[in-house]
PDB file of all heavy atoms in Angstrom:
ATOM      1  N   ARG C  30     208.171 -71.047 -91.315  1.00  0.00           N
ATOM      2  CA  ARG C  30     208.361 -70.364 -92.600  1.00  0.00           C
ATOM      3  C   ARG C  30     208.958 -71.293 -93.657  1.00  0.00           C
ATOM      4  O   ARG C  30     208.646 -71.167 -94.845  1.00  0.00           O
ATOM      5  CB  ARG C  30     209.246 -69.129 -92.409  1.00  0.00           C
ATOM      6  CG  ARG C  30     208.551 -68.014 -91.617  1.00  0.00           C
ATOM      7  CD  ARG C  30     207.257 -67.562 -92.280  1.00  0.00           C
ATOM      8  NE  ARG C  30     206.584 -66.510 -91.512  1.00  0.00           N
ATOM      9  CZ  ARG C  30     205.437 -65.946 -91.876  1.00  0.00           C
ATOM     10  NH1 ARG C  30     204.821 -66.347 -92.977  1.00  0.00           N
ATOM     11  NH2 ARG C  30     204.887 -64.999 -91.124  1.00  0.00           N
ATOM     12  N   ILE C  31     209.792 -72.245 -93.223  1.00  0.00           N
ATOM     13  CA  ILE C  31     210.316 -73.238 -94.163  1.00  0.00           C
ATOM     14  C   ILE C  31     209.168 -74.032 -94.762  1.00  0.00           C
ATOM     15  O   ILE C  31     209.165 -74.371 -95.951  1.00  0.00           O
ATOM     16  CB  ILE C  31     211.313 -74.180 -93.454  1.00  0.00           C
ATOM     17  CG1 ILE C  31     212.627 -73.446 -93.181  1.00  0.00           C
ATOM     18  CG2 ILE C  31     211.582 -75.432 -94.286  1.00  0.00           C
ATOM     19  CD1 ILE C  31     213.604 -74.228 -92.334  1.00  0.00           C
ATOM     20  N   GLU C  32     208.160 -74.317 -93.943  1.00  0.00           N
ATOM     21  CA  GLU C  32     207.023 -75.126 -94.381  1.00  0.00           C
ATOM     22  C   GLU C  32     205.865 -74.299 -94.925  1.00  0.00           C
ATOM     23  O   GLU C  32     204.804 -74.838 -95.230  1.00  0.00           O
ATOM     24  CB  GLU C  32     206.523 -75.985 -93.220  1.00  0.00           C
ATOM     25  CG  GLU C  32     207.542 -77.004 -92.726  1.00  0.00           C
ATOM     26  CD  GLU C  32     207.947 -77.999 -93.790  1.00  0.00           C
ATOM     27  OE1 GLU C  32     207.089 -78.355 -94.635  1.00  0.00           O
ATOM     28  OE2 GLU C  32     209.121 -78.426 -93.796  1.00  0.00           O
ATOM     29  N   GLU C  33     206.081 -72.997 -95.075  1.00  0.00           N
ATOM     30  CA  GLU C  33     204.985 -72.115 -95.495  1.00  0.00           C
ATOM     31  C   GLU C  33     204.380 -72.554 -96.826  1.00  0.00           C
ATOM     32  O   GLU C  33     203.156 -72.580 -97.002  1.00  0.00           O
ATOM     33  CB  GLU C  33     205.475 -70.669 -95.592  1.00  0.00           C
ATOM     34  CG  GLU C  33     204.365 -69.679 -95.904  1.00  0.00           C
ATOM     35  CD  GLU C  33     204.829 -68.237 -95.764  1.00  0.00           C
ATOM     36  OE1 GLU C  33     206.029 -68.008 -95.497  1.00  0.00           O
ATOM     37  OE2 GLU C  33     203.972 -67.344 -95.911  1.00  0.00           O
ATOM     38  N   GLN C  34     205.244 -72.921 -97.793  1.00  0.00           N
ATOM     39  CA  GLN C  34     204.751 -73.337 -99.102  1.00  0.00           C
ATOM     40  C   GLN C  34     204.299 -74.802 -99.117  1.00  0.00           C
ATOM     41  O   GLN C  34     203.647 -75.245-100.065  1.00  0.00           O
ATOM     42  CB  GLN C  34     205.841 -73.125-100.162  1.00  0.00           C
ATOM     43  CG  GLN C  34     206.305 -71.685-100.286  1.00  0.00           C
ATOM     44  CD  GLN C  34     205.162 -70.723-100.554  1.00  0.00           C
ATOM     45  OE1 GLN C  34     204.293 -70.987-101.386  1.00  0.00           O
ATOM     46  NE2 GLN C  34     205.155 -69.605 -99.841  1.00  0.00           N
ATOM     47  N   GLY C  35     204.636 -75.538 -98.056  1.00  0.00           N
ATOM     48  CA  GLY C  35     204.271 -76.944 -97.986  1.00  0.00           C
ATOM     49  C   GLY C  35     202.974 -77.198 -97.251  1.00  0.00           C
ATOM     50  O   GLY C  35     202.622 -78.342 -96.985  1.00  0.00           O
ATOM     51  N   GLY C  36     202.261 -76.135 -96.892  1.00  0.00           N
ATOM     52  CA  GLY C  36     200.968 -76.310 -96.250  1.00  0.00           C
ATOM     53  C   GLY C  36     200.739 -75.411 -95.058  1.00  0.00           C
ATOM     54  O   GLY C  36     199.596 -75.081 -94.741  1.00  0.00           O
ATOM     55  N   ALA C  37     201.806 -74.985 -94.374  1.00  0.00           N
ATOM     56  CA  ALA C  37     201.643 -74.162 -93.182  1.00  0.00           C
ATOM     57  C   ALA C  37     200.966 -72.836 -93.511  1.00  0.00           C
ATOM     58  O   ALA C  37     200.132 -72.334 -92.750  1.00  0.00           O
ATOM     59  CB  ALA C  37     202.990 -73.904 -92.514  1.00  0.00           C
ATOM     60  N   GLY C  38     201.319 -72.254 -94.661  1.00  0.00           N
ATOM     61  CA  GLY C  38     200.695 -70.998 -95.063  1.00  0.00           C
ATOM     62  C   GLY C  38     199.241 -71.181 -95.450  1.00  0.00           C
ATOM     63  O   GLY C  38     198.372 -70.383 -95.094  1.00  0.00           O
ATOM     64  N   LYS C  39     198.961 -72.268 -96.180  1.00  0.00           N
ATOM     65  CA  LYS C  39     197.591 -72.552 -96.608  1.00  0.00           C
ATOM     66  C   LYS C  39     196.668 -72.778 -95.428  1.00  0.00           C
ATOM     67  O   LYS C  39     195.487 -72.419 -95.459  1.00  0.00           O
ATOM     68  CB  LYS C  39     197.594 -73.779 -97.526  1.00  0.00           C
ATOM     69  CG  LYS C  39     196.250 -74.067 -98.196  1.00  0.00           C
ATOM     70  CD  LYS C  39     195.880 -73.000 -99.198  1.00  0.00           C
ATOM     71  CE  LYS C  39     194.571 -73.333 -99.915  1.00  0.00           C
ATOM     72  NZ  LYS C  39     194.206 -72.286-100.887  1.00  0.00           N
ATOM     73  N   LEU C  40     197.192 -73.387 -94.370  1.00  0.00           N
ATOM     74  CA  LEU C  40     196.375 -73.648 -93.187  1.00  0.00           C
ATOM     75  C   LEU C  40     195.750 -72.381 -92.626  1.00  0.00           C
ATOM     76  O   LEU C  40     194.613 -72.407 -92.141  1.00  0.00           O
ATOM     77  CB  LEU C  40     197.222 -74.320 -92.104  1.00  0.00           C
ATOM     78  CG  LEU C  40     197.504 -75.813 -92.243  1.00  0.00           C
ATOM     79  CD1 LEU C  40     198.467 -76.259 -91.150  1.00  0.00           C
ATOM     80  CD2 LEU C  40     196.211 -76.624 -92.178  1.00  0.00           C
ATOM     81  N   THR C  41     196.477 -71.273 -92.688  1.00  0.00           N
ATOM     82  CA  THR C  41     195.963 -70.034 -92.109  1.00  0.00           C
ATOM     83  C   THR C  41     194.723 -69.523 -92.842  1.00  0.00           C
ATOM     84  O   THR C  41     193.944 -68.769 -92.282  1.00  0.00           O
ATOM     85  CB  THR C  41     197.039 -68.938 -92.105  1.00  0.00           C
ATOM     86  OG1 THR C  41     197.434 -68.651 -93.456  1.00  0.00           O
ATOM     87  CG2 THR C  41     198.270 -69.383 -91.319  1.00  0.00           C
ATOM     88  N   GLU C  42     194.537 -69.961 -94.089  1.00  0.00           N
ATOM     89  CA  GLU C  42     193.349 -69.543 -94.836  1.00  0.00           C
ATOM     90  C   GLU C  42     192.082 -70.146 -94.240  1.00  0.00           C
ATOM     91  O   GLU C  42     190.987 -69.594 -94.400  1.00  0.00           O
ATOM     92  CB  GLU C  42     193.481 -69.950 -96.304  1.00  0.00           C
ATOM     93  CG  GLU C  42     194.624 -69.259 -97.029  1.00  0.00           C
ATOM     94  CD  GLU C  42     194.713 -69.680 -98.485  1.00  0.00           C
ATOM     95  OE1 GLU C  42     193.724 -70.243 -99.011  1.00  0.00           O
ATOM     96  OE2 GLU C  42     195.779 -69.455 -99.102  1.00  0.00           O
ATOM     97  N   PHE C  43     192.221 -71.292 -93.573  1.00  0.00           N
ATOM     98  CA  PHE C  43     191.063 -71.948 -92.961  1.00  0.00           C
ATOM     99  C   PHE C  43     190.863 -71.529 -91.516  1.00  0.00           C
ATOM    100  O   PHE C  43     189.843 -71.836 -90.906  1.00  0.00           O
ATOM    101  CB  PHE C  43     191.233 -73.471 -93.018  1.00  0.00           C
ATOM    102  CG  PHE C  43     191.367 -74.019 -94.411  1.00  0.00           C
ATOM    103  CD1 PHE C  43     192.599 -74.428 -94.900  1.00  0.00           C
ATOM    104  CD2 PHE C  43     190.261 -74.120 -95.247  1.00  0.00           C
ATOM    105  CE1 PHE C  43     192.721 -74.941 -96.183  1.00  0.00           C
ATOM    106  CE2 PHE C  43     190.376 -74.625 -96.547  1.00  0.00           C
ATOM    107  CZ  PHE C  43     191.609 -75.037 -97.004  1.00  0.00           C
ATOM    108  N   ALA C  44     191.841 -70.850 -90.938  1.00  0.00           N
ATOM    109  CA  ALA C  44     191.823 -70.533 -89.513  1.00  0.00           C
ATOM    110  C   ALA C  44     190.844 -69.410 -89.198  1.00  0.00           C
ATOM    111  O   ALA C  44     190.527 -68.564 -90.038  1.00  0.00           O
ATOM    112  CB  ALA C  44     193.226 -70.142 -89.059  1.00  0.00           C
ATOM    113  N   ALA C  45     190.367 -69.409 -87.963  1.00  0.00           N
ATOM    114  CA  ALA C  45     189.546 -68.295 -87.493  1.00  0.00           C
ATOM    115  C   ALA C  45     190.411 -67.031 -87.404  1.00  0.00           C
ATOM    116  O   ALA C  45     189.969 -65.939 -87.757  1.00  0.00           O
ATOM    117  CB  ALA C  45     188.945 -68.640 -86.136  1.00  0.00           C
ATOM    118  N   LEU C  46     191.632 -67.194 -86.936  1.00  0.00           N
ATOM    119  CA  LEU C  46     192.604 -66.100 -86.919  1.00  0.00           C
ATOM    120  C   LEU C  46     193.522 -66.285 -88.117  1.00  0.00           C
ATOM    121  O   LEU C  46     194.384 -67.146 -88.115  1.00  0.00           O
ATOM    122  CB  LEU C  46     193.422 -66.137 -85.622  1.00  0.00           C
ATOM    123  CG  LEU C  46     192.621 -66.036 -84.325  1.00  0.00           C
ATOM    124  CD1 LEU C  46     193.539 -66.207 -83.122  1.00  0.00           C
ATOM    125  CD2 LEU C  46     191.868 -64.703 -84.248  1.00  0.00           C
ATOM    126  N   LYS C  47     193.315 -65.507 -89.131  1.00  0.00           N
ATOM    127  CA  LYS C  47     193.982 -65.749 -90.417  1.00  0.00           C
ATOM    128  C   LYS C  47     195.386 -65.149 -90.455  1.00  0.00           C
ATOM    129  O   LYS C  47     195.683 -64.213 -91.193  1.00  0.00           O
ATOM    130  CB  LYS C  47     193.108 -65.236 -91.558  1.00  0.00           C
ATOM    131  CG  LYS C  47     191.762 -65.960 -91.612  1.00  0.00           C
ATOM    132  CD  LYS C  47     190.969 -65.609 -92.843  1.00  0.00           C
ATOM    133  CE  LYS C  47     189.620 -66.311 -92.819  1.00  0.00           C
ATOM    134  NZ  LYS C  47     189.732 -67.765 -92.681  1.00  0.00           N
ATOM    135  N   ARG C  48     196.230 -65.737 -89.657  1.00  0.00           N
ATOM    136  CA  ARG C  48     197.619 -65.305 -89.569  1.00  0.00           C
ATOM    137  C   ARG C  48     198.440 -66.426 -88.946  1.00  0.00           C
ATOM    138  O   ARG C  48     197.897 -67.374 -88.374  1.00  0.00           O
ATOM    139  CB  ARG C  48     197.744 -64.048 -88.698  1.00  0.00           C
ATOM    140  CG  ARG C  48     197.306 -64.261 -87.242  1.00  0.00           C
ATOM    141  CD  ARG C  48     197.615 -63.025 -86.392  1.00  0.00           C
ATOM    142  NE  ARG C  48     197.116 -63.134 -85.034  1.00  0.00           N
ATOM    143  CZ  ARG C  48     197.749 -63.750 -84.028  1.00  0.00           C
ATOM    144  NH1 ARG C  48     198.927 -64.346 -84.243  1.00  0.00           N
ATOM    145  NH2 ARG C  48     197.229 -63.780 -82.806  1.00  0.00           N
ATOM    146  N   PHE C  49     199.754 -66.304 -89.050  1.00  0.00           N
ATOM    147  CA  PHE C  49     200.647 -67.189 -88.319  1.00  0.00           C
ATOM    148  C   PHE C  49     200.613 -66.812 -86.842  1.00  0.00           C
ATOM    149  O   PHE C  49     200.510 -65.629 -86.493  1.00  0.00           O
ATOM    150  CB  PHE C  49     202.083 -67.049 -88.836  1.00  0.00           C
ATOM    151  CG  PHE C  49     202.402 -67.937 -90.007  1.00  0.00           C
ATOM    152  CD1 PHE C  49     201.813 -67.722 -91.251  1.00  0.00           C
ATOM    153  CD2 PHE C  49     203.302 -68.987 -89.861  1.00  0.00           C
ATOM    154  CE1 PHE C  49     202.112 -68.542 -92.328  1.00  0.00           C
ATOM    155  CE2 PHE C  49     203.611 -69.815 -90.943  1.00  0.00           C
ATOM    156  CZ  PHE C  49     203.009 -69.595 -92.178  1.00  0.00           C
ATOM    157  N   GLY C  50     200.704 -67.791 -85.983  1.00  0.00           N
ATOM    158  CA  GLY C  50     200.836 -67.501 -84.568  1.00  0.00           C
ATOM    159  C   GLY C  50     202.219 -66.959 -84.273  1.00  0.00           C
ATOM    160  O   GLY C  50     203.170 -67.187 -85.021  1.00  0.00           O
ATOM    161  N   ARG C  51     202.335 -66.211 -83.191  1.00  0.00           N
ATOM    162  CA  ARG C  51     203.626 -65.666 -82.777  1.00  0.00           C
ATOM    163  C   ARG C  51     204.284 -66.625 -81.775  1.00  0.00           C
ATOM    164  O   ARG C  51     203.595 -67.225 -80.944  1.00  0.00           O
ATOM    165  CB  ARG C  51     203.437 -64.281 -82.160  1.00  0.00           C
ATOM    166  CG  ARG C  51     202.925 -63.238 -83.161  1.00  0.00           C
ATOM    167  CD  ARG C  51     202.847 -61.861 -82.530  1.00  0.00           C
ATOM    168  NE  ARG C  51     201.756 -61.761 -81.568  1.00  0.00           N
ATOM    169  CZ  ARG C  51     200.505 -61.429 -81.881  1.00  0.00           C
ATOM    170  NH1 ARG C  51     200.170 -61.187 -83.142  1.00  0.00           N
ATOM    171  NH2 ARG C  51     199.579 -61.352 -80.945  1.00  0.00           N
ATOM    172  N   PRO C  52     205.592 -66.772 -81.846  1.00  0.00           N
ATOM    173  CA  PRO C  52     206.276 -67.694 -80.943  1.00  0.00           C
ATOM    174  C   PRO C  52     205.952 -67.467 -79.476  1.00  0.00           C
ATOM    175  O   PRO C  52     205.789 -68.416 -78.702  1.00  0.00           O
ATOM    176  CB  PRO C  52     207.761 -67.441 -81.221  1.00  0.00           C
ATOM    177  CG  PRO C  52     207.794 -66.946 -82.629  1.00  0.00           C
ATOM    178  CD  PRO C  52     206.531 -66.137 -82.799  1.00  0.00           C
ATOM    179  N   GLU C  53     205.822 -66.197 -79.087  1.00  0.00           N
ATOM    180  CA  GLU C  53     205.538 -65.907 -77.684  1.00  0.00           C
ATOM    181  C   GLU C  53     204.141 -66.375 -77.273  1.00  0.00           C
ATOM    182  O   GLU C  53     203.892 -66.632 -76.080  1.00  0.00           O
ATOM    183  CB  GLU C  53     205.714 -64.411 -77.378  1.00  0.00           C
ATOM    184  CG  GLU C  53     204.858 -63.484 -78.221  1.00  0.00           C
ATOM    185  CD  GLU C  53     205.531 -63.011 -79.492  1.00  0.00           C
ATOM    186  OE1 GLU C  53     206.438 -63.715 -80.004  1.00  0.00           O
ATOM    187  OE2 GLU C  53     205.144 -61.923 -79.983  1.00  0.00           O
ATOM    188  N   GLU C  54     203.230 -66.511 -78.247  1.00  0.00           N
ATOM    189  CA  GLU C  54     201.885 -66.983 -77.915  1.00  0.00           C
ATOM    190  C   GLU C  54     201.889 -68.462 -77.552  1.00  0.00           C
ATOM    191  O   GLU C  54     201.270 -68.884 -76.563  1.00  0.00           O
ATOM    192  CB  GLU C  54     200.938 -66.717 -79.092  1.00  0.00           C
ATOM    193  CG  GLU C  54     200.687 -65.234 -79.314  1.00  0.00           C
ATOM    194  CD  GLU C  54     199.895 -64.940 -80.579  1.00  0.00           C
ATOM    195  OE1 GLU C  54     200.108 -65.628 -81.605  1.00  0.00           O
ATOM    196  OE2 GLU C  54     199.066 -64.003 -80.556  1.00  0.00           O
ATOM    197  N   ILE C  55     202.577 -69.283 -78.332  1.00  0.00           N
ATOM    198  CA  ILE C  55     202.669 -70.707 -78.000  1.00  0.00           C
ATOM    199  C   ILE C  55     203.562 -70.896 -76.784  1.00  0.00           C
ATOM    200  O   ILE C  55     203.347 -71.807 -75.964  1.00  0.00           O
ATOM    201  CB  ILE C  55     203.167 -71.533 -79.210  1.00  0.00           C
ATOM    202  CG1 ILE C  55     202.980 -73.031 -78.961  1.00  0.00           C
ATOM    203  CG2 ILE C  55     204.600 -71.220 -79.545  1.00  0.00           C
ATOM    204  CD1 ILE C  55     201.552 -73.495 -78.951  1.00  0.00           C
ATOM    205  N   ALA C  56     204.562 -70.023 -76.622  1.00  0.00           N
ATOM    206  CA  ALA C  56     205.464 -70.123 -75.474  1.00  0.00           C
ATOM    207  C   ALA C  56     204.709 -69.973 -74.161  1.00  0.00           C
ATOM    208  O   ALA C  56     204.979 -70.681 -73.185  1.00  0.00           O
ATOM    209  CB  ALA C  56     206.568 -69.070 -75.576  1.00  0.00           C
ATOM    210  N   GLU C  57     203.763 -69.057 -74.127  1.00  0.00           N
ATOM    211  CA  GLU C  57     202.978 -68.862 -72.900  1.00  0.00           C
ATOM    212  C   GLU C  57     202.185 -70.121 -72.554  1.00  0.00           C
ATOM    213  O   GLU C  57     202.073 -70.492 -71.377  1.00  0.00           O
ATOM    214  CB  GLU C  57     202.036 -67.668 -73.058  1.00  0.00           C
ATOM    215  CG  GLU C  57     202.720 -66.316 -73.111  1.00  0.00           C
ATOM    216  CD  GLU C  57     203.291 -65.883 -71.761  1.00  0.00           C
ATOM    217  OE1 GLU C  57     202.997 -66.540 -70.733  1.00  0.00           O
ATOM    218  OE2 GLU C  57     204.036 -64.887 -71.735  1.00  0.00           O
ATOM    219  N   LEU C  58     201.642 -70.786 -73.576  1.00  0.00           N
ATOM    220  CA  LEU C  58     200.892 -72.020 -73.333  1.00  0.00           C
ATOM    221  C   LEU C  58     201.818 -73.135 -72.851  1.00  0.00           C
ATOM    222  O   LEU C  58     201.515 -73.841 -71.882  1.00  0.00           O
ATOM    223  CB  LEU C  58     200.168 -72.452 -74.607  1.00  0.00           C
ATOM    224  CG  LEU C  58     199.439 -73.803 -74.529  1.00  0.00           C
ATOM    225  CD1 LEU C  58     198.389 -73.797 -73.421  1.00  0.00           C
ATOM    226  CD2 LEU C  58     198.804 -74.147 -75.877  1.00  0.00           C
ATOM    227  N   LEU C  59     202.950 -73.298 -73.513  1.00  0.00           N
ATOM    228  CA  LEU C  59     203.892 -74.343 -73.128  1.00  0.00           C
ATOM    229  C   LEU C  59     204.397 -74.116 -71.703  1.00  0.00           C
ATOM    230  O   LEU C  59     204.496 -75.062 -70.905  1.00  0.00           O
ATOM    231  CB  LEU C  59     205.061 -74.388 -74.107  1.00  0.00           C
ATOM    232  CG  LEU C  59     204.718 -74.860 -75.523  1.00  0.00           C
ATOM    233  CD1 LEU C  59     205.893 -74.603 -76.467  1.00  0.00           C
ATOM    234  CD2 LEU C  59     204.345 -76.328 -75.548  1.00  0.00           C
ATOM    235  N   ALA C  60     204.728 -72.872 -71.392  1.00  0.00           N
ATOM    236  CA  ALA C  60     205.220 -72.556 -70.055  1.00  0.00           C
ATOM    237  C   ALA C  60     204.150 -72.805 -69.000  1.00  0.00           C
ATOM    238  O   ALA C  60     204.446 -73.320 -67.909  1.00  0.00           O
ATOM    239  CB  ALA C  60     205.693 -71.107 -70.006  1.00  0.00           C
ATOM    240  N   PHE C  61     202.919 -72.449 -69.305  1.00  0.00           N
ATOM    241  CA  PHE C  61     201.825 -72.694 -68.357  1.00  0.00           C
ATOM    242  C   PHE C  61     201.640 -74.183 -68.113  1.00  0.00           C
ATOM    243  O   PHE C  61     201.526 -74.629 -66.967  1.00  0.00           O
ATOM    244  CB  PHE C  61     200.522 -72.088 -68.883  1.00  0.00           C
ATOM    245  CG  PHE C  61     199.314 -72.447 -68.045  1.00  0.00           C
ATOM    246  CD1 PHE C  61     199.115 -71.847 -66.814  1.00  0.00           C
ATOM    247  CD2 PHE C  61     198.409 -73.399 -68.488  1.00  0.00           C
ATOM    248  CE1 PHE C  61     198.015 -72.185 -66.026  1.00  0.00           C
ATOM    249  CE2 PHE C  61     197.313 -73.750 -67.711  1.00  0.00           C
ATOM    250  CZ  PHE C  61     197.109 -73.140 -66.472  1.00  0.00           C
ATOM    251  N   CYS C  62     201.636 -74.971 -69.186  1.00  0.00           N
ATOM    252  CA  CYS C  62     201.447 -76.415 -69.048  1.00  0.00           C
ATOM    253  C   CYS C  62     202.569 -77.044 -68.228  1.00  0.00           C
ATOM    254  O   CYS C  62     202.357 -78.023 -67.503  1.00  0.00           O
ATOM    255  CB  CYS C  62     201.381 -77.076 -70.426  1.00  0.00           C
ATOM    256  SG  CYS C  62     199.871 -76.733 -71.343  1.00  0.00           S
ATOM    257  N   ALA C  63     203.775 -76.489 -68.351  1.00  0.00           N
ATOM    258  CA  ALA C  63     204.919 -77.009 -67.615  1.00  0.00           C
ATOM    259  C   ALA C  63     204.979 -76.505 -66.181  1.00  0.00           C
ATOM    260  O   ALA C  63     205.726 -77.053 -65.366  1.00  0.00           O
ATOM    261  CB  ALA C  63     206.212 -76.637 -68.337  1.00  0.00           C
ATOM    262  N   SER C  64     204.194 -75.488 -65.867  1.00  0.00           N
ATOM    263  CA  SER C  64     204.226 -74.901 -64.534  1.00  0.00           C
ATOM    264  C   SER C  64     203.433 -75.759 -63.544  1.00  0.00           C
ATOM    265  O   SER C  64     202.772 -76.735 -63.914  1.00  0.00           O
ATOM    266  CB  SER C  64     203.637 -73.482 -64.567  1.00  0.00           C
ATOM    267  OG  SER C  64     202.216 -73.531 -64.652  1.00  0.00           O
TER     268      SER C  64
END
């Protein structure tokens, strides 16, 4: 959110899923990779 105006928000306009990801979504990936 700090970087939302610096490009992070704009990126979502190009995304297939036009929203910010949720922390728990990336957490599941990180945890799986570490498992």
Side-chain angles (χ1 to χ4, degrees):
R30 291 302 179 180
I31 287 173
E32 296 299 326
E33 185 170 4
Q34 301 305 315
K39 188 68 177 180
L40 281 174
T41 62
E42 296 181 17
F43 300 104
L46 301 175
K47 299 188 182 304
R48 62 173 175 84
F49 273 68
R51 295 184 288 273
E53 57 269 25
E54 292 173 322
I55 192 70
E57 290 288 350
L58 175 59
L59 292 169
F61 173 75
C62 289
S64 76

